Amino acid sequence: MQRLFTILSAIVAAVLLVGCGADSAMKKGDKFYALGEYYDAATQYKKAYSQTPAKDRKLRGQRAMKMADCYRRINNTQRAIASYNNVIRYKQTDSLTQFFVGQQLMKNGDYRAAQKAFQAAVDSLADTDSPYLLLAREGLKAAKAAPDFKKKDSKYSVKREDLFNSRRADFSPMLAGEDNDQLYFTSTRNQAQGDELSGITGTKNGDIFFSQKDDKGKWGKPQTIDSELNSEFDEGACCFSADGRTMYLTQCKTDPDYPRFATIVKSSRSDASWSKPTELVVSKDTLSIFAHPAVSPDGLWLYFVSDMPGGLGGYDIWRAELTANGVGIIENLGAPVNTEGNEEFPTFRPNGDLYFSSDGHPGLGGLDIFIAQPTMDGWTVTHPGYPLNSQGDDFGMTFEGLHNRGYFSSNRGDARGWDHIYSFEKSEVLVTVKGWVYEMDGYELPGGLVYMVGNDGTNLKLSVKGDGSFTQEIQTGVDYVLLGTCKGYLNHKEELRVDTATVSNEYVLQFPLANISAPVLIDNIFYDFDKATLRPESQTALDELVKLLNENPNVTIELSAHTDYKGSAQYNERLSQRRAESVVNYLIAHGIAADRLTPKGYGKEKPKTIRRKVAEKYPFLKEGDVLTEEFVKALKDEEQQEECNQLNRRTEFTVLRTTYGLFDEEGKLKNPPKPKATTKEAEKPEDVWF
């Protein structure tokens, strides 16, 4: 009898210990859950569930619900489905259980079972005003349509890029560099900073990594960033300003006592190094997340994701005005972009199309990528189809220039729910114009602007890159006028029309701008030997000069001709004067007003001063050399002497005034400035040059 009592006591003690252990695990799990550390919470809930007696069905069902919620949040789809099935088996479902089951089944690609779950969710929510009712109906619609939708040819091709991927999560790629030769992305791989594992994911906190293309266009292995950009906290989902000098990214700091709230921070690039990020204060709201930044193509707005009050559902896409003093007005994009669900990871294609991911719009499962195209009344939202989208989470697009190709991230096919980087490309006919803005007889002008207007209503102001270039998509059948400008230089206009296009093509335009404050060489002006007669091959250059003067009608110029040192000063001066007059007569004959032109023959009085661009062509010369008679004769090589003489025999023009025709006889401005435009009007480039 004593022996039996001892055995029973041991059993009771063991049961009590198990119960205490389960309760302790639940308390730990609840603490982790309150902090948003769902991986650690799921671990504790699983421990408590396994220690809960099978006969205590209600408690097991409640703890299975806790597990399911955590697994759903960390994208462990298989375990989430298994846990929800236990919730259902133990009859502990609530009004949203079937809705969440439907979502997980969609992510698993089981569309038939998802239909049943969403239908059950619709039935259970039918008499409520819950926002989940609409989401359940959209989910049911998506589950029914998905099998046929996946069969349609979207013309996208998708490939997993294992060079960028690790055994952990790699996501949110972003191309950078003037030639798109750098790829930045977020990764939780072992090389990330810090030693602790995230309580949210069970992996390391994310860091920004990057890969660089070599001279042959081949991507190198991903590298860490040797600066203070990354920390032991979570960094990820970055984007860049238009000039590439500022990086905006998401940062999530750890606090052992409070939930994590993501914030947007920014880092500046100095030489080849990124600075330590500083917070961009979007709002004084400290209880909402601010994440996934994206700069609009015009650089005026920062788009981001937040759950702050005033939205339509879970996470919404908002935008904040970027000003010299920080963040300006803040706007919610509203419907149809935002829904009662979650809209995340906004990014832009350079043509202005907004790409984002959503689980609120009908899709193939998980987060699907959608395209929002701007219209006069807002946005039009479309689904780009399969295989760009899948049953998993698809998000984080980046584009290679104007082309419909680039990279994105997806957790498709990964049982652990970890994301990986994929490339994509869609075949399409793309017609672009590439322009180069540079100084006549000089270098590129990175401060240049190009105004582009088309008879279809196009009215754009295009900034150029550091190499003076710009690229812009154009439409067939449209007449375009493009004006290259830069402070301190004359304007240059080009016109372009492409009637039809069956294949992608790029049209190249040149915008050589004349310096207002320095003599400008007119290349390819030829005269008969020892005469002032213009040769026929000079016509092209002369016609370009006529065009330039017509494009800049308020300019007057001195047209100067120069000779080498050979011959007498008087003879060279008379010859150069007659040559300058020949050019002026040609310009007058082609419609340029005589009082805008001053011919001047300098003979050999003003030998050429070498600029850096010319010095690059003639290695025996350096910038600042003046090709005087003494300088030329001091050269021992006769061929070099003759090259210098050719440089001295030149025709140039110098801008004298930029106010010709602007004032009337009383000295008053003929066309005074218009009243200050409204904010929206001020955003449009001026078109007074037509």
Side-chain angles (χ1 to χ4, degrees):
M1 187 70 180
Q2 181 66 35
R3 184 177 180 184
L4 178 61
F5 178 79
T6 301
I7 293 173
L8 291 173
S9 297
I11 293 173
V12 170
V15 170
L16 289 173
L17 285 173
V18 168
C20 290
D23 290 342
S24 176
M26 287 300 298
K27 289 180 180 178
K28 290 180 180 178
D30 289 342
K31 182 179 180 180
F32 287 132
Y33 188 93
L35 294 174
E37 297 178 351
Y38 302 115
Y39 178 88
D40 286 348
T43 301
Q44 294 299 321
Y45 290 148
K46 181 181 179 181
K47 180 180 178 181
Y49 177 84
S50 64
Q51 293 180 354
T52 304
K55 65 180 181 180
D56 197 342
R57 298 174 62 85
K58 180 178 180 180
L59 193 56
R60 281 178 71 88
Q62 292 172 346
R63 290 173 176 175
M65 177 73 85
K66 294 266 193 176
M67 274 196 300
D69 188 36
C70 290
Y71 288 136
R72 173 177 65 85
R73 292 175 183 272
I74 63 175
N75 290 322
N76 197 324
T77 303
Q78 300 295 344
R79 289 188 176 184
I81 292 174
S83 298
Y84 277 122
N85 284 338
N86 284 331
V87 173
I88 295 170
R89 180 159 64 98
Y90 291 122
K91 298 181 180 179
Q92 294 301 307
T93 60
D94 59 22
S95 60
L96 297 180
T97 300
Q98 290 293 349
F99 171 74
F100 290 133
V101 169
Q103 282 190 325
Q104 299 305 302
L105 291 169
M106 287 288 288
K107 294 181 71 170
N108 207 35
D110 192 347
Y111 297 125
R112 181 172 295 181
Q115 285 185 49
K116 295 180 180 179
F118 281 129
Q119 184 62 64
V122 170
D123 293 342
S124 68
L125 296 168
D127 296 328
T128 71
D129 58 356
S130 170
Y132 287 97
L133 176 58
L134 177 59
L135 291 173
R137 287 171 176 165
E138 293 295 316
L140 179 59
K141 186 192 304 181
K144 291 179 178 178
D148 291 332
F149 197 45
K150 288 182 69 172
K151 296 176 183 178
K152 294 181 179 179
D153 181 14
S154 68
K155 302 191 183 304
Y156 278 96
S157 60
V158 168
K159 178 185 176 184
R160 178 165 161 162
E161 297 293 341
D162 286 331
L163 174 66
F164 306 129
N165 293 315
S166 66
R167 295 184 177 181
R168 296 295 184 264
D170 305 281
F171 58 95
S172 290
M174 183 58 59
L175 285 163
E178 291 184 352
D179 297 319
N180 295 301
D181 57 355
Q182 300 167 13
L183 186 74
Y184 290 78
F185 61 93
T186 308
S187 179
T188 61
R189 63 188 62 198
N190 291 333
Q191 291 77 17
Q193 294 188 25
D195 298 321
E196 295 185 3
L197 299 183
S198 167
I200 299 176
T201 63
T203 65
K204 277 196 167 186
N205 286 326
D207 272 0
I208 304 291
F209 289 78
F210 83 102
S211 180
Q212 177 77 49
K213 273 186 180 179
D214 61 21
D215 294 338
K216 297 181 180 179
K218 183 179 179 181
W219 287 109
K221 291 184 178 180
Q223 307 172 43
T224 58
I225 296 177
D226 295 327
S227 73
E228 295 182 284
L229 177 70
N230 292 310
S231 68
E232 71 273 20
F233 303 123
D234 250 324
E235 284 90 21
C238 67
C239 71
F240 299 92
S241 59
D243 61 6
R245 306 297 297 179
T246 303
M247 178 193 294
Y248 298 92
L249 63 153
T250 307
Q251 187 179 73
C252 191
K253 294 185 176 181
T254 304
D255 190 314
D257 299 318
Y258 295 96
R260 300 194 204 188
F261 291 100
T263 59
I264 295 174
V265 296
K266 65 178 182 177
S267 170
S268 299
R269 189 179 183 92
S270 176
D271 296 326
S273 180
W274 290 101
S275 68
K276 184 177 181 179
T278 57
E279 184 176 354
L280 179 72
V281 180
V282 178
S283 167
K284 295 181 180 179
D285 181 353
T286 59
L287 298 178
S288 301
I289 70 120
F290 298 91
H292 308 167
V295 178
S296 61
D298 59 13
L300 298 177
W301 296 89
L302 183 73
Y303 287 65
F304 62 94
V305 170
S306 180
D307 59 353
M308 61 180 168
L312 300 188
Y315 297 131
D316 273 15
I317 296 176
W318 301 68
R319 71 173 189 171
E321 184 182 23
L322 292 174
T323 72
N325 299 319
V327 172
I329 60 174
I330 299 176
E331 301 174 347
N332 185 289
L333 261 60
V337 172
N338 291 318
T339 68
E340 287 79 359
N342 297 300
E343 281 67 49
E344 305 177 63
F345 298 98
T347 190
F348 279 94
R349 190 175 172 187
N351 66 1
D353 291 347
L354 171 65
Y355 285 68
F356 66 97
S357 294
S358 172
D359 63 7
H361 292 278
L364 297 178
L367 289 172
D368 271 23
I369 294 168
F370 291 85
I371 306 171
Q373 294 174 305
T375 66
M376 294 294 292
D377 301 321
W379 303 88
T380 299
V381 176
T382 57
H383 188 286
Y386 177 86
L388 185 64
N389 284 310
S390 68
Q391 70 269 21
D393 290 327
D394 306 293
F395 61 97
M397 304 278 286
T398 185
F399 292 88
E400 185 182 328
L402 293 172
H403 300 283
N404 203 346
R405 63 173 180 254
Y407 300 91
F408 73 108
S409 40
S410 176
N411 64 4
R412 63 186 68 185
D414 192 296
R416 299 159 297 184
W418 288 346
D419 308 302
H420 303 289
I421 294 173
Y422 291 76
S423 63
F424 73 92
E425 183 169 6
K426 182 179 181 180
S427 58
E428 64 178 11
V429 175
L430 181 66
V431 184
T432 59
V433 56
K434 184 165 189 174
W436 301 87
V437 182
Y438 57 94
E439 181 182 1
M440 279 186 177
D441 197 31
Y443 293 91
E444 63 274 358
L445 295 171
L449 285 173
V450 176
Y451 294 92
M452 177 175 170
V453 175
N455 62 358
D456 65 340
T458 298
N459 196 348
L460 302 175
K461 183 170 67 173
L462 308 173
S463 299
V464 302
K465 299 179 181 178
D467 63 354
S469 72
F470 70 91
T471 305
Q472 177 64 38
E473 183 179 2
I474 60 174
Q475 304 299 321
T476 58
V478 177
D479 295 312
Y480 292 100
V481 178
L482 298 96
L483 186 76
T485 69
C486 188
K487 186 177 181 180
Y489 295 84
L490 300 183
N491 298 333
H492 180 89
K493 185 170 70 175
E494 291 288 341
E495 298 181 6
L496 179 65
R497 176 186 173 90
V498 179
D499 289 318
T500 59
T502 56
V503 295
S504 295
N505 200 0
E506 184 173 78
Y507 294 83
V508 178
L509 298 177
Q510 304 288 339
F511 294 85
L513 306 188
N515 195 322
I516 290 176
S517 58
V520 179
L521 176 69
I522 309 173
D523 264 332
N524 301 317
I525 298 292
F526 305 100
Y527 308 91
D528 286 340
F529 178 71
D530 210 24
K531 296 181 180 179
T533 307
L534 288 165
R535 296 183 60 80
E537 53 265 39
S538 304
Q539 182 176 346
T540 300
L542 291 168
D543 288 345
E544 283 296 317
L545 184 54
V546 171
K547 181 172 178 284
L548 183 147
L549 291 169
N550 282 328
E551 291 169 356
N552 297 272
N554 304 119
V555 166
T556 65
I557 64 170
E558 176 188 273
L559 199 293
S560 60
H562 305 263
T563 67
D564 57 30
Y565 67 85
K566 297 176 182 179
S568 69
Q570 294 82 2
Y571 175 81
N572 282 331
E573 185 176 337
R574 288 196 302 270
L575 177 61
S576 60
Q577 180 65 31
R578 287 188 289 117
R579 286 181 169 179
E581 290 171 355
S582 293
V583 175
V584 165
N585 290 336
Y586 184 95
L587 300 178
I588 293 172
H590 287 77
I592 305 301
D595 60 349
R596 296 180 61 194
L597 309 168
T598 302
K600 178 64 177 177
Y602 285 98
K604 59 181 180 181
E605 288 180 21
K606 289 190 174 184
K608 186 175 181 67
T609 299
I610 297 302
R611 300 181 66 186
R612 183 158 57 101
K613 187 73 172 180
V614 178
E616 290 178 356
K617 185 177 180 181
Y618 300 94
F620 65 94
L621 297 174
K622 64 180 184 297
E623 184 179 7
D625 284 344
V626 182
L627 305 185
T628 62
E629 181 176 351
E630 292 76 17
F631 180 93
V632 176
K633 286 182 176 180
L635 296 170
K636 296 180 180 180
D637 190 314
E638 291 185 2
E639 184 176 342
Q640 292 178 356
Q641 290 184 12
E642 179 52 30
E643 287 175 332
C644 288
N645 288 331
Q646 289 176 1
L647 290 172
N648 272 331
R649 297 192 294 266
R650 67 198 189 277
T651 303
E652 297 176 334
F653 73 85
T654 304
V655 175
L656 299 178
R657 293 170 53 207
T658 58
T659 57
Y660 176 84
L662 290 179
F663 300 94
D664 59 23
E665 295 178 355
E666 298 178 358
K668 296 180 180 179
L669 197 61
K670 290 182 179 180
N671 297 299
K674 298 177 181 178
K676 187 175 180 180
T678 62
T679 302
K680 290 186 176 181
E681 290 173 339
E683 292 176 359
K684 299 179 181 179
E686 296 179 359
D687 57 2
V688 296
W689 43 274
F690 286 103

